[in-house]
Amino acid sequence: MELTEKYAYLPSDEAINSGIQAIASNLDNLMTDEVLKQCFAAMDLTTLKTQDTEKSVLKLVNKANALKTEFPQFPLPASICVYPNFAATVRAARESEDLHVTTVAGCFPSSQSFIEVKVDECRRAVASGADEVDIVLPLNSFLAGDYDAASAEIRAMREAVDAEGKVQGRKVVLKVILETGLLSTPELIAEASFLAMEAGADFIKTSTGKVEINATPVAAYVMCESIKAFYAKTGRKVGFKAAGGISSAKDALCYYLIVSTVLGKDWLGKDLFRLGVSRLGNSLMSAVEQKTVNYF
């Protein structure tokens, strides 16, 4: 049985396009300071560059720390997202535990390695200070139709994160990146969504930001409808994270409204809604302040 059949959800191109068009036509009317600040609070402020250094990561964390004095009208972002070797750097430098430490792991961005390596990297990320871990759906198995193997890898990384989290005395959030730009149909995006949620994902995330096509409204809509169907069947709320190419206030508002429209207000807090971003912070601040802000 396909997972879309199990969860009684089959994406409809007509319904998806109609929903997205309705949102797009109303963006300007719904762009309020309150909503923009909610998007700001949902940011996983991200630096995943080959040239990242401890100094550059510290600079980003210090910018987030200084918001309370430089721009007290803005909330903290949800987290700082870095490579796992910088988890300890972020944890030591942050001034509030409300600013979570997020790391990618599991051989991001390709998930192409031995499962033992992926599991160990997840464990080490948590041991080094990660509050949240973002891994990539094993597309090598999934696209070959071996859903059992793909699920088993996610479950193994889930177990490693949970076990090390228990040692560290904290519950660690696991996000699974579907890399929707490499999934050719809405049906395949829905299948990947259900597989990741069944395997233990706390969030499902659109993209790594490292492929040609990253977050899109269509992918987001399908993922949110899959989350809704999964919740109806299981009673478990799974979060949604859009990432990759989200740079303008209108981009952020679009994903916010997709979540609001499909899932409702319960999903709009940072516990269930995230935006993975590197450039969006300045755009949101500029939109609220009504002038160009280059803070980050």
Side-chain angles (χ1 to χ4, degrees), residues 94-278:
R94 67 176 180 178
E95 294 179 357
S96 170
E97 291 185 2
D98 290 336
L99 182 67
H100 280 192
V101 181
T102 297
T103 78
V104 295
C107 298
F108 174 96
S110 67
S111 192
Q112 296 280 17
S113 191
F114 304 103
I115 183 58
E116 295 85 358
V117 176
K118 299 180 191 181
V119 165
D120 191 51
E121 188 177 43
C122 289
R123 181 191 65 77
R124 287 174 181 269
V126 177
S128 296
D131 300 302
E132 307 182 10
V133 175
D134 291 17
I135 64 171
V136 182
L137 170 72
L139 288 173
N140 50 7
S141 299
F142 181 80
L143 292 177
D146 193 344
Y147 287 9
D148 288 343
S151 178
E153 287 206 14
I154 294 172
R155 291 178 190 275
M157 288 184 270
R158 168 89 266 179
E159 289 171 6
V161 163
D162 287 345
E164 188 60 36
K166 187 175 181 180
V167 171
Q168 301 296 324
R170 62 181 185 273
K171 169 66 176 170
V172 177
V173 170
L174 182 71
K175 308 190 198 86
V176 177
I177 305 164
L178 306 185
E179 203 67 291
T180 54
L182 300 180
L183 303 179
S184 56
T185 65
E187 290 77 16
L188 207 53
I189 293 172
E191 287 283 304
S193 298
F194 291 127
L195 184 148
M197 290 187 285
E198 278 196 345
D202 296 309
F203 276 75
I204 51 175
K205 174 179 170 182
T206 59
S207 321
T208 62
K210 304 296 186 182
V211 297
E212 186 175 350
I213 299 173
N214 291 289
T216 66
V218 169
Y221 208 96
V222 172
M223 290 169 67
C224 287
E225 288 196 319
S226 299
I227 290 169
K228 183 178 182 179
F230 185 79
Y231 175 64
K233 183 87 170 179
T234 68
R236 186 165 77 86
K237 289 182 176 179
V238 175
F240 168 76
K241 178 175 175 179
I246 302 168
S247 59
S248 73
K250 279 194 174 183
D251 290 338
L253 182 59
C254 177
Y255 292 110
Y256 175 96
L257 292 175
I258 288 171
V259 172
S260 177
T261 300
V262 177
L263 292 169
K265 292 182 178 179
D266 285 354
W267 262 264
L268 292 176
K270 66 180 181 180
D271 288 344
L272 291 169
F273 173 53
R274 295 291 179 86
L275 296 165
V277 302
S278 58

Side-chain angles (χ1 to χ4, degrees), residues 61-84:
V61 179
N62 289 335
K63 284 285 189 180
N65 287 336
L67 275 167
K68 64 181 181 293
T69 53
E70 297 289 330
F71 288 91
Q73 67 272 37
F74 285 91
L76 269 178
S79 80
I80 302 288
C81 180
V82 293
Y83 283 113

